[in-house]
Amino acid sequence: MGTVQYRVELNPLTKPTSYRLRFLPKQTAGYDELAAAVAKDTGMSIEQAMASLQSTVKNIKEMLCNGMQVTLEEALTFAPSFHGKLNSPDDPLPPISELLRVSISATRPFIQYMQQNITLERVSTEEKAPSILSAADTTLELNNVLNPNGVLRLTGSNLAFDKSKPDCGCIIESTRSGSEKQSQFAQISDTEILLVPHIPVPEYPWNNEYTLSISTQYTEHGSVRTGTYGRKLRSPMTVDLSAMGEQGMGILTGSAAIPYVSVMDCILSANERLRIQVEYNAQDDLLAFRLIDMQDGGAKGNMVPVTENGGYTLPGFAGSAVSSLQIEVNDYAALKTMIRNNYDGRLVDILDLEV
């Protein structure tokens, strides 16, 4: 019987306060580890086991491409799935790159086997582990911003790691596509890390949402411990008005293939960097948008309440080159759910508006 480690953590995004269980991986297994285990069970060479695994994955992909569902009895089920919605049955389909997904689910016998063959081991919150308390861009002096042209400062406790160890390091991961192990550090200490972020390229420009984690090993033969920052990071977005098509430019979205909000037009006298903010009002159960400048506590435009999908005009603010910004809310329900559940009621995107 094996053990699965977990830690009870405060969920900073819920009110009233709640707690969650976080799985703590002892290590990550890939093709090499799986091939070695298969070779041991079957008597094949590791090379033969590796070739068999890679062939299995290849053939599963080809079967899915031929419209089949692949069910490995007592294990996993693979099937094509679709994302998005149509406003009417006869609407043209969006591009397949936006529409198609793959669903992978464990069968009931697979889950039951795990339930019967593991024990849970709680890792004490007192046990040494990375704890990331804040992430701020030192150039823009803004929290939770992932600026490719800036330096990211992480603060917390037990953050130090040996970057020469393959299982240790700092990972920035897109919530939709790809991750990057960071390599350019100005400082690594127990309480502060300074790094020049290398950001994974998003599948779509509006997928500018990332998570950040640190993994470290405190003793030579100790377990690798991982701490994940409790808030999402977002990177600035360029909105080139001259190159924008009829669909506009997506913003204020998480991992979705279709943007929740789009910039459709802007009246401005010069290029400008500003922020667009959307807040969830729990009392009235609605969203409100406004434009704000790049300094916390600085100039702000008037709030514009939003209650459903549709077009809205956001006024500029004193000193801004922007007179107004026209947006289209494409999925009000999904946006509200994301802000309420993942952003503690307030989401901000940085926009570089270019004529």
Side-chain angles (χ1 to χ4, degrees), residues 196-231:
V196 177
H198 296 268
I199 306 173
V201 178
E203 184 170 355
Y204 303 108
W206 53 85
N207 298 140
N208 64 326
E209 179 188 71
Y210 301 89
T211 60
L212 183 143
S213 61
I214 290 175
S215 296
T216 190
Q217 195 172 13
Y218 297 109
T219 62
E220 184 178 356
H221 301 292
S223 299
V224 175
R225 302 296 186 190
T226 299
T228 301
Y229 185 43
R231 295 184 178 273

PDB file of all heavy atoms in Angstrom, residues 196-231:
ATOM      1  N   VAL A 196      14.099  37.514 -13.618  1.00  0.00           N
ATOM      2  CA  VAL A 196      13.600  38.056 -14.877  1.00  0.00           C
ATOM      3  C   VAL A 196      12.720  36.981 -15.489  1.00  0.00           C
ATOM      4  O   VAL A 196      13.214  35.913 -15.870  1.00  0.00           O
ATOM      5  CB  VAL A 196      14.747  38.415 -15.830  1.00  0.00           C
ATOM      6  CG1 VAL A 196      14.193  38.916 -17.168  1.00  0.00           C
ATOM      7  CG2 VAL A 196      15.668  39.452 -15.206  1.00  0.00           C
ATOM      8  N   PRO A 197      11.413  37.200 -15.551  1.00  0.00           N
ATOM      9  CA  PRO A 197      10.523  36.090 -15.917  1.00  0.00           C
ATOM     10  C   PRO A 197      10.603  35.715 -17.391  1.00  0.00           C
ATOM     11  O   PRO A 197      10.646  36.575 -18.280  1.00  0.00           O
ATOM     12  CB  PRO A 197       9.133  36.641 -15.569  1.00  0.00           C
ATOM     13  CG  PRO A 197       9.272  38.116 -15.647  1.00  0.00           C
ATOM     14  CD  PRO A 197      10.671  38.426 -15.216  1.00  0.00           C
ATOM     15  N   HIS A 198      10.656  34.417 -17.619  1.00  0.00           N
ATOM     16  CA  HIS A 198      10.491  33.850 -18.959  1.00  0.00           C
ATOM     17  C   HIS A 198       9.084  33.261 -18.988  1.00  0.00           C
ATOM     18  O   HIS A 198       8.795  32.316 -18.261  1.00  0.00           O
ATOM     19  CB  HIS A 198      11.554  32.801 -19.244  1.00  0.00           C
ATOM     20  CG  HIS A 198      12.939  33.368 -19.277  1.00  0.00           C
ATOM     21  ND1 HIS A 198      13.533  33.815 -20.430  1.00  0.00           N
ATOM     22  CD2 HIS A 198      13.833  33.592 -18.283  1.00  0.00           C
ATOM     23  CE1 HIS A 198      14.752  34.280 -20.164  1.00  0.00           C
ATOM     24  NE2 HIS A 198      14.959  34.158 -18.855  1.00  0.00           N
ATOM     25  N   ILE A 199       8.233  33.830 -19.836  1.00  0.00           N
ATOM     26  CA  ILE A 199       6.805  33.559 -19.779  1.00  0.00           C
ATOM     27  C   ILE A 199       6.405  32.624 -20.923  1.00  0.00           C
ATOM     28  O   ILE A 199       6.747  32.888 -22.081  1.00  0.00           O
ATOM     29  CB  ILE A 199       6.008  34.871 -19.862  1.00  0.00           C
ATOM     30  CG1 ILE A 199       6.493  35.846 -18.765  1.00  0.00           C
ATOM     31  CG2 ILE A 199       4.518  34.621 -19.732  1.00  0.00           C
ATOM     32  CD1 ILE A 199       5.885  37.231 -18.868  1.00  0.00           C
ATOM     33  N   PRO A 200       5.678  31.540 -20.641  1.00  0.00           N
ATOM     34  CA  PRO A 200       5.197  30.673 -21.721  1.00  0.00           C
ATOM     35  C   PRO A 200       4.319  31.450 -22.693  1.00  0.00           C
ATOM     36  O   PRO A 200       3.517  32.303 -22.286  1.00  0.00           O
ATOM     37  CB  PRO A 200       4.360  29.613 -20.976  1.00  0.00           C
ATOM     38  CG  PRO A 200       4.819  29.673 -19.555  1.00  0.00           C
ATOM     39  CD  PRO A 200       5.255  31.076 -19.307  1.00  0.00           C
ATOM     40  N   VAL A 201       4.481  31.167 -23.963  1.00  0.00           N
ATOM     41  CA  VAL A 201       3.671  31.841 -24.984  1.00  0.00           C
ATOM     42  C   VAL A 201       2.259  31.263 -24.940  1.00  0.00           C
ATOM     43  O   VAL A 201       2.080  30.055 -25.060  1.00  0.00           O
ATOM     44  CB  VAL A 201       4.272  31.651 -26.389  1.00  0.00           C
ATOM     45  CG1 VAL A 201       3.387  32.308 -27.443  1.00  0.00           C
ATOM     46  CG2 VAL A 201       5.677  32.229 -26.438  1.00  0.00           C
ATOM     47  N   PRO A 202       1.236  32.101 -24.760  1.00  0.00           N
ATOM     48  CA  PRO A 202      -0.129  31.576 -24.647  1.00  0.00           C
ATOM     49  C   PRO A 202      -0.648  31.090 -25.989  1.00  0.00           C
ATOM     50  O   PRO A 202      -0.207  31.542 -27.055  1.00  0.00           O
ATOM     51  CB  PRO A 202      -0.932  32.778 -24.143  1.00  0.00           C
ATOM     52  CG  PRO A 202      -0.176  33.965 -24.644  1.00  0.00           C
ATOM     53  CD  PRO A 202       1.280  33.561 -24.600  1.00  0.00           C
ATOM     54  N   GLU A 203      -1.612  30.165 -25.931  1.00  0.00           N
ATOM     55  CA  GLU A 203      -2.217  29.678 -27.166  1.00  0.00           C
ATOM     56  C   GLU A 203      -2.982  30.800 -27.865  1.00  0.00           C
ATOM     57  O   GLU A 203      -2.958  30.922 -29.088  1.00  0.00           O
ATOM     58  CB  GLU A 203      -3.153  28.505 -26.861  1.00  0.00           C
ATOM     59  CG  GLU A 203      -3.743  27.868 -28.095  1.00  0.00           C
ATOM     60  CD  GLU A 203      -4.468  26.575 -27.797  1.00  0.00           C
ATOM     61  OE1 GLU A 203      -4.448  26.118 -26.646  1.00  0.00           O
ATOM     62  OE2 GLU A 203      -5.057  26.007 -28.739  1.00  0.00           O
ATOM     63  N   TYR A 204      -3.674  31.605 -27.075  1.00  0.00           N
ATOM     64  CA  TYR A 204      -4.373  32.774 -27.592  1.00  0.00           C
ATOM     65  C   TYR A 204      -3.927  33.981 -26.768  1.00  0.00           C
ATOM     66  O   TYR A 204      -3.621  33.835 -25.584  1.00  0.00           O
ATOM     67  CB  TYR A 204      -5.889  32.608 -27.480  1.00  0.00           C
ATOM     68  CG  TYR A 204      -6.400  31.382 -28.195  1.00  0.00           C
ATOM     69  CD1 TYR A 204      -6.852  30.281 -27.473  1.00  0.00           C
ATOM     70  CD2 TYR A 204      -6.425  31.316 -29.575  1.00  0.00           C
ATOM     71  CE1 TYR A 204      -7.316  29.147 -28.119  1.00  0.00           C
ATOM     72  CE2 TYR A 204      -6.886  30.186 -30.233  1.00  0.00           C
ATOM     73  CZ  TYR A 204      -7.333  29.104 -29.498  1.00  0.00           C
ATOM     74  OH  TYR A 204      -7.769  27.989 -30.138  1.00  0.00           O
ATOM     75  N   PRO A 205      -3.908  35.176 -27.358  1.00  0.00           N
ATOM     76  CA  PRO A 205      -3.394  36.345 -26.616  1.00  0.00           C
ATOM     77  C   PRO A 205      -4.112  36.594 -25.299  1.00  0.00           C
ATOM     78  O   PRO A 205      -3.507  37.065 -24.337  1.00  0.00           O
ATOM     79  CB  PRO A 205      -3.612  37.503 -27.600  1.00  0.00           C
ATOM     80  CG  PRO A 205      -3.651  36.867 -28.951  1.00  0.00           C
ATOM     81  CD  PRO A 205      -4.274  35.523 -28.751  1.00  0.00           C
ATOM     82  N   TRP A 206      -5.402  36.305 -25.245  1.00  0.00           N
ATOM     83  CA  TRP A 206      -6.176  36.590 -24.031  1.00  0.00           C
ATOM     84  C   TRP A 206      -5.935  35.558 -22.920  1.00  0.00           C
ATOM     85  O   TRP A 206      -6.412  35.748 -21.811  1.00  0.00           O
ATOM     86  CB  TRP A 206      -7.666  36.669 -24.358  1.00  0.00           C
ATOM     87  CG  TRP A 206      -8.204  35.475 -25.102  1.00  0.00           C
ATOM     88  CD1 TRP A 206      -8.650  34.299 -24.564  1.00  0.00           C
ATOM     89  CD2 TRP A 206      -8.351  35.352 -26.515  1.00  0.00           C
ATOM     90  NE1 TRP A 206      -9.062  33.446 -25.555  1.00  0.00           N
ATOM     91  CE2 TRP A 206      -8.898  34.066 -26.764  1.00  0.00           C
ATOM     92  CE3 TRP A 206      -8.091  36.204 -27.585  1.00  0.00           C
ATOM     93  CZ2 TRP A 206      -9.174  33.617 -28.058  1.00  0.00           C
ATOM     94  CZ3 TRP A 206      -8.367  35.738 -28.860  1.00  0.00           C
ATOM     95  CH2 TRP A 206      -8.898  34.470 -29.095  1.00  0.00           C
ATOM     96  N   ASN A 207      -5.206  34.484 -23.200  1.00  0.00           N
ATOM     97  CA  ASN A 207      -4.851  33.515 -22.154  1.00  0.00           C
ATOM     98  C   ASN A 207      -3.596  33.981 -21.423  1.00  0.00           C
ATOM     99  O   ASN A 207      -2.565  33.301 -21.406  1.00  0.00           O
ATOM    100  CB  ASN A 207      -4.627  32.123 -22.766  1.00  0.00           C
ATOM    101  CG  ASN A 207      -5.852  31.556 -23.444  1.00  0.00           C
ATOM    102  OD1 ASN A 207      -5.746  30.954 -24.495  1.00  0.00           O
ATOM    103  ND2 ASN A 207      -7.021  31.753 -22.849  1.00  0.00           N
ATOM    104  N   ASN A 208      -3.658  35.158 -20.815  1.00  0.00           N
ATOM    105  CA  ASN A 208      -2.502  35.767 -20.151  1.00  0.00           C
ATOM    106  C   ASN A 208      -2.535  35.521 -18.646  1.00  0.00           C
ATOM    107  O   ASN A 208      -2.125  36.358 -17.853  1.00  0.00           O
ATOM    108  CB  ASN A 208      -2.457  37.273 -20.442  1.00  0.00           C
ATOM    109  CG  ASN A 208      -3.661  38.010 -19.874  1.00  0.00           C
ATOM    110  OD1 ASN A 208      -4.761  37.469 -19.831  1.00  0.00           O
ATOM    111  ND2 ASN A 208      -3.460  39.253 -19.443  1.00  0.00           N
ATOM    112  N   GLU A 209      -2.995  34.341 -18.239  1.00  0.00           N
ATOM    113  CA  GLU A 209      -3.145  33.983 -16.833  1.00  0.00           C
ATOM    114  C   GLU A 209      -2.154  32.862 -16.497  1.00  0.00           C
ATOM    115  O   GLU A 209      -2.071  31.874 -17.224  1.00  0.00           O
ATOM    116  CB  GLU A 209      -4.582  33.518 -16.581  1.00  0.00           C
ATOM    117  CG  GLU A 209      -4.862  33.087 -15.156  1.00  0.00           C
ATOM    118  CD  GLU A 209      -6.233  32.463 -15.027  1.00  0.00           C
ATOM    119  OE1 GLU A 209      -6.438  31.335 -15.531  1.00  0.00           O
ATOM    120  OE2 GLU A 209      -7.114  33.101 -14.426  1.00  0.00           O
ATOM    121  N   TYR A 210      -1.434  33.026 -15.377  1.00  0.00           N
ATOM    122  CA  TYR A 210      -0.359  32.092 -15.042  1.00  0.00           C
ATOM    123  C   TYR A 210      -0.372  31.755 -13.548  1.00  0.00           C
ATOM    124  O   TYR A 210      -0.825  32.538 -12.719  1.00  0.00           O
ATOM    125  CB  TYR A 210       1.008  32.689 -15.405  1.00  0.00           C
ATOM    126  CG  TYR A 210       1.133  33.039 -16.866  1.00  0.00           C
ATOM    127  CD1 TYR A 210       0.749  34.299 -17.335  1.00  0.00           C
ATOM    128  CD2 TYR A 210       1.616  32.121 -17.792  1.00  0.00           C
ATOM    129  CE1 TYR A 210       0.840  34.622 -18.678  1.00  0.00           C
ATOM    130  CE2 TYR A 210       1.714  32.437 -19.128  1.00  0.00           C
ATOM    131  CZ  TYR A 210       1.328  33.685 -19.568  1.00  0.00           C
ATOM    132  OH  TYR A 210       1.414  33.998 -20.901  1.00  0.00           O
ATOM    133  N   THR A 211       0.155  30.575 -13.239  1.00  0.00           N
ATOM    134  CA  THR A 211       0.409  30.196 -11.851  1.00  0.00           C
ATOM    135  C   THR A 211       1.922  30.101 -11.649  1.00  0.00           C
ATOM    136  O   THR A 211       2.683  29.889 -12.611  1.00  0.00           O
ATOM    137  CB  THR A 211      -0.228  28.844 -11.492  1.00  0.00           C
ATOM    138  OG1 THR A 211       0.323  27.816 -12.338  1.00  0.00           O
ATOM    139  CG2 THR A 211      -1.738  28.893 -11.682  1.00  0.00           C
ATOM    140  N   LEU A 212       2.359  30.254 -10.417  1.00  0.00           N
ATOM    141  CA  LEU A 212       3.788  30.217 -10.102  1.00  0.00           C
ATOM    142  C   LEU A 212       4.019  29.296  -8.915  1.00  0.00           C
ATOM    143  O   LEU A 212       3.283  29.351  -7.924  1.00  0.00           O
ATOM    144  CB  LEU A 212       4.304  31.620  -9.799  1.00  0.00           C
ATOM    145  CG  LEU A 212       5.812  31.751  -9.529  1.00  0.00           C
ATOM    146  CD1 LEU A 212       6.347  33.046 -10.118  1.00  0.00           C
ATOM    147  CD2 LEU A 212       6.104  31.707  -8.031  1.00  0.00           C
ATOM    148  N   SER A 213       5.038  28.453  -9.024  1.00  0.00           N
ATOM    149  CA  SER A 213       5.357  27.537  -7.929  1.00  0.00           C
ATOM    150  C   SER A 213       6.866  27.429  -7.755  1.00  0.00           C
ATOM    151  O   SER A 213       7.636  27.673  -8.692  1.00  0.00           O
ATOM    152  CB  SER A 213       4.768  26.144  -8.181  1.00  0.00           C
ATOM    153  OG  SER A 213       5.302  25.581  -9.360  1.00  0.00           O
ATOM    154  N   ILE A 214       7.278  27.082  -6.546  1.00  0.00           N
ATOM    155  CA  ILE A 214       8.688  26.869  -6.217  1.00  0.00           C
ATOM    156  C   ILE A 214       8.832  25.476  -5.616  1.00  0.00           C
ATOM    157  O   ILE A 214       8.048  25.091  -4.731  1.00  0.00           O
ATOM    158  CB  ILE A 214       9.198  27.926  -5.223  1.00  0.00           C
ATOM    159  CG1 ILE A 214       9.277  29.293  -5.903  1.00  0.00           C
ATOM    160  CG2 ILE A 214      10.564  27.548  -4.655  1.00  0.00           C
ATOM    161  CD1 ILE A 214       9.645  30.424  -4.972  1.00  0.00           C
ATOM    162  N   SER A 215       9.811  24.729  -6.098  1.00  0.00           N
ATOM    163  CA  SER A 215      10.115  23.405  -5.560  1.00  0.00           C
ATOM    164  C   SER A 215      11.530  23.407  -5.018  1.00  0.00           C
ATOM    165  O   SER A 215      12.453  23.936  -5.663  1.00  0.00           O
ATOM    166  CB  SER A 215       9.975  22.325  -6.638  1.00  0.00           C
ATOM    167  OG  SER A 215       8.640  22.238  -7.091  1.00  0.00           O
ATOM    168  N   THR A 216      11.708  22.828  -3.854  1.00  0.00           N
ATOM    169  CA  THR A 216      13.031  22.805  -3.243  1.00  0.00           C
ATOM    170  C   THR A 216      13.220  21.529  -2.446  1.00  0.00           C
ATOM    171  O   THR A 216      12.256  20.816  -2.123  1.00  0.00           O
ATOM    172  CB  THR A 216      13.235  24.041  -2.343  1.00  0.00           C
ATOM    173  OG1 THR A 216      14.593  24.114  -1.938  1.00  0.00           O
ATOM    174  CG2 THR A 216      12.338  23.987  -1.122  1.00  0.00           C
ATOM    175  N   GLN A 217      14.469  21.235  -2.139  1.00  0.00           N
ATOM    176  CA  GLN A 217      14.847  20.040  -1.387  1.00  0.00           C
ATOM    177  C   GLN A 217      15.793  20.503  -0.280  1.00  0.00           C
ATOM    178  O   GLN A 217      16.884  20.995  -0.555  1.00  0.00           O
ATOM    179  CB  GLN A 217      15.534  19.042  -2.326  1.00  0.00           C
ATOM    180  CG  GLN A 217      15.668  17.646  -1.789  1.00  0.00           C
ATOM    181  CD  GLN A 217      16.175  16.697  -2.867  1.00  0.00           C
ATOM    182  OE1 GLN A 217      16.649  17.118  -3.926  1.00  0.00           O
ATOM    183  NE2 GLN A 217      16.078  15.401  -2.611  1.00  0.00           N
ATOM    184  N   TYR A 218      15.360  20.369   0.961  1.00  0.00           N
ATOM    185  CA  TYR A 218      16.096  20.992   2.056  1.00  0.00           C
ATOM    186  C   TYR A 218      17.272  20.156   2.552  1.00  0.00           C
ATOM    187  O   TYR A 218      18.184  20.676   3.179  1.00  0.00           O
ATOM    188  CB  TYR A 218      15.141  21.307   3.209  1.00  0.00           C
ATOM    189  CG  TYR A 218      14.091  22.317   2.809  1.00  0.00           C
ATOM    190  CD1 TYR A 218      12.776  21.940   2.642  1.00  0.00           C
ATOM    191  CD2 TYR A 218      14.431  23.647   2.574  1.00  0.00           C
ATOM    192  CE1 TYR A 218      11.818  22.867   2.256  1.00  0.00           C
ATOM    193  CE2 TYR A 218      13.490  24.575   2.193  1.00  0.00           C
ATOM    194  CZ  TYR A 218      12.177  24.178   2.033  1.00  0.00           C
ATOM    195  OH  TYR A 218      11.230  25.089   1.640  1.00  0.00           O
ATOM    196  N   THR A 219      17.235  18.857   2.272  1.00  0.00           N
ATOM    197  CA  THR A 219      18.366  17.991   2.607  1.00  0.00           C
ATOM    198  C   THR A 219      18.720  17.178   1.374  1.00  0.00           C
ATOM    199  O   THR A 219      17.912  17.041   0.446  1.00  0.00           O
ATOM    200  CB  THR A 219      18.039  17.060   3.784  1.00  0.00           C
ATOM    201  OG1 THR A 219      16.951  16.200   3.418  1.00  0.00           O
ATOM    202  CG2 THR A 219      17.666  17.854   5.024  1.00  0.00           C
ATOM    203  N   GLU A 220      19.898  16.611   1.375  1.00  0.00           N
ATOM    204  CA  GLU A 220      20.395  15.913   0.188  1.00  0.00           C
ATOM    205  C   GLU A 220      19.463  14.805  -0.259  1.00  0.00           C
ATOM    206  O   GLU A 220      19.240  14.602  -1.454  1.00  0.00           O
ATOM    207  CB  GLU A 220      21.791  15.352   0.459  1.00  0.00           C
ATOM    208  CG  GLU A 220      22.421  14.684  -0.768  1.00  0.00           C
ATOM    209  CD  GLU A 220      23.821  14.191  -0.492  1.00  0.00           C
ATOM    210  OE1 GLU A 220      24.342  14.428   0.630  1.00  0.00           O
ATOM    211  OE2 GLU A 220      24.409  13.561  -1.401  1.00  0.00           O
ATOM    212  N   HIS A 221      18.922  14.054   0.696  1.00  0.00           N
ATOM    213  CA  HIS A 221      18.062  12.926   0.339  1.00  0.00           C
ATOM    214  C   HIS A 221      16.611  13.151   0.766  1.00  0.00           C
ATOM    215  O   HIS A 221      15.812  12.216   0.800  1.00  0.00           O
ATOM    216  CB  HIS A 221      18.591  11.643   0.991  1.00  0.00           C
ATOM    217  CG  HIS A 221      19.990  11.299   0.587  1.00  0.00           C
ATOM    218  ND1 HIS A 221      20.325  10.914  -0.694  1.00  0.00           N
ATOM    219  CD2 HIS A 221      21.157  11.335   1.294  1.00  0.00           C
ATOM    220  CE1 HIS A 221      21.631  10.701  -0.764  1.00  0.00           C
ATOM    221  NE2 HIS A 221      22.159  10.953   0.427  1.00  0.00           N
ATOM    222  N   GLY A 222      16.268  14.398   1.082  1.00  0.00           N
ATOM    223  CA  GLY A 222      14.905  14.700   1.511  1.00  0.00           C
ATOM    224  C   GLY A 222      13.932  14.773   0.349  1.00  0.00           C
ATOM    225  O   GLY A 222      14.310  14.811  -0.818  1.00  0.00           O
ATOM    226  N   SER A 223      12.637  14.778   0.689  1.00  0.00           N
ATOM    227  CA  SER A 223      11.594  14.894  -0.323  1.00  0.00           C
ATOM    228  C   SER A 223      11.593  16.296  -0.923  1.00  0.00           C
ATOM    229  O   SER A 223      11.929  17.272  -0.258  1.00  0.00           O
ATOM    230  CB  SER A 223      10.219  14.607   0.291  1.00  0.00           C
ATOM    231  OG  SER A 223      10.156  13.300   0.804  1.00  0.00           O
ATOM    232  N   VAL A 224      11.226  16.360  -2.182  1.00  0.00           N
ATOM    233  CA  VAL A 224      11.059  17.659  -2.839  1.00  0.00           C
ATOM    234  C   VAL A 224       9.751  18.275  -2.352  1.00  0.00           C
ATOM    235  O   VAL A 224       8.699  17.632  -2.380  1.00  0.00           O
ATOM    236  CB  VAL A 224      11.046  17.504  -4.367  1.00  0.00           C
ATOM    237  CG1 VAL A 224      10.738  18.843  -5.043  1.00  0.00           C
ATOM    238  CG2 VAL A 224      12.384  16.972  -4.852  1.00  0.00           C
ATOM    239  N   ARG A 225       9.812  19.507  -1.888  1.00  0.00           N
ATOM    240  CA  ARG A 225       8.639  20.213  -1.394  1.00  0.00           C
ATOM    241  C   ARG A 225       8.281  21.339  -2.365  1.00  0.00           C
ATOM    242  O   ARG A 225       9.169  22.064  -2.825  1.00  0.00           O
ATOM    243  CB  ARG A 225       8.895  20.802  -0.002  1.00  0.00           C
ATOM    244  CG  ARG A 225       9.297  19.781   1.040  1.00  0.00           C
ATOM    245  CD  ARG A 225       8.201  18.793   1.305  1.00  0.00           C
ATOM    246  NE  ARG A 225       8.528  17.897   2.391  1.00  0.00           N
ATOM    247  CZ  ARG A 225       7.823  16.817   2.695  1.00  0.00           C
ATOM    248  NH1 ARG A 225       6.763  16.508   1.968  1.00  0.00           N
ATOM    249  NH2 ARG A 225       8.179  16.037   3.697  1.00  0.00           N
ATOM    250  N   THR A 226       7.004  21.481  -2.650  1.00  0.00           N
ATOM    251  CA  THR A 226       6.542  22.477  -3.613  1.00  0.00           C
ATOM    252  C   THR A 226       5.535  23.412  -2.964  1.00  0.00           C
ATOM    253  O   THR A 226       4.637  22.960  -2.244  1.00  0.00           O
ATOM    254  CB  THR A 226       5.891  21.801  -4.837  1.00  0.00           C
ATOM    255  OG1 THR A 226       6.859  20.965  -5.479  1.00  0.00           O
ATOM    256  CG2 THR A 226       5.381  22.842  -5.833  1.00  0.00           C
ATOM    257  N   GLY A 227       5.701  24.704  -3.210  1.00  0.00           N
ATOM    258  CA  GLY A 227       4.739  25.705  -2.774  1.00  0.00           C
ATOM    259  C   GLY A 227       4.228  26.473  -3.973  1.00  0.00           C
ATOM    260  O   GLY A 227       5.014  26.883  -4.834  1.00  0.00           O
ATOM    261  N   THR A 228       2.927  26.643  -4.057  1.00  0.00           N
ATOM    262  CA  THR A 228       2.304  27.358  -5.174  1.00  0.00           C
ATOM    263  C   THR A 228       1.686  28.661  -4.681  1.00  0.00           C
ATOM    264  O   THR A 228       0.985  28.666  -3.662  1.00  0.00           O
ATOM    265  CB  THR A 228       1.218  26.490  -5.839  1.00  0.00           C
ATOM    266  OG1 THR A 228       1.821  25.272  -6.306  1.00  0.00           O
ATOM    267  CG2 THR A 228       0.582  27.209  -7.019  1.00  0.00           C
ATOM    268  N   TYR A 229       1.958  29.723  -5.399  1.00  0.00           N
ATOM    269  CA  TYR A 229       1.402  31.028  -5.030  1.00  0.00           C
ATOM    270  C   TYR A 229      -0.121  30.978  -5.145  1.00  0.00           C
ATOM    271  O   TYR A 229      -0.673  30.452  -6.120  1.00  0.00           O
ATOM    272  CB  TYR A 229       1.980  32.098  -5.947  1.00  0.00           C
ATOM    273  CG  TYR A 229       1.581  33.509  -5.607  1.00  0.00           C
ATOM    274  CD1 TYR A 229       1.560  33.967  -4.291  1.00  0.00           C
ATOM    275  CD2 TYR A 229       1.229  34.400  -6.617  1.00  0.00           C
ATOM    276  CE1 TYR A 229       1.191  35.272  -3.988  1.00  0.00           C
ATOM    277  CE2 TYR A 229       0.874  35.712  -6.331  1.00  0.00           C
ATOM    278  CZ  TYR A 229       0.852  36.136  -5.004  1.00  0.00           C
ATOM    279  OH  TYR A 229       0.487  37.421  -4.708  1.00  0.00           O
ATOM    280  N   GLY A 230      -0.795  31.521  -4.149  1.00  0.00           N
ATOM    281  CA  GLY A 230      -2.238  31.390  -4.062  1.00  0.00           C
ATOM    282  C   GLY A 230      -3.029  32.254  -5.013  1.00  0.00           C
ATOM    283  O   GLY A 230      -4.245  32.094  -5.121  1.00  0.00           O
ATOM    284  N   ARG A 231      -2.377  33.171  -5.724  1.00  0.00           N
ATOM    285  CA  ARG A 231      -3.089  34.039  -6.663  1.00  0.00           C
ATOM    286  C   ARG A 231      -2.540  33.871  -8.068  1.00  0.00           C
ATOM    287  O   ARG A 231      -1.387  33.488  -8.252  1.00  0.00           O
ATOM    288  CB  ARG A 231      -2.989  35.498  -6.228  1.00  0.00           C
ATOM    289  CG  ARG A 231      -3.695  35.767  -4.899  1.00  0.00           C
ATOM    290  CD  ARG A 231      -3.650  37.242  -4.546  1.00  0.00           C
ATOM    291  NE  ARG A 231      -4.355  37.503  -3.308  1.00  0.00           N
ATOM    292  CZ  ARG A 231      -5.657  37.744  -3.211  1.00  0.00           C
ATOM    293  NH1 ARG A 231      -6.396  37.747  -4.304  1.00  0.00           N
ATOM    294  NH2 ARG A 231      -6.230  37.974  -2.046  1.00  0.00           N
TER     295      ARG A 231
END
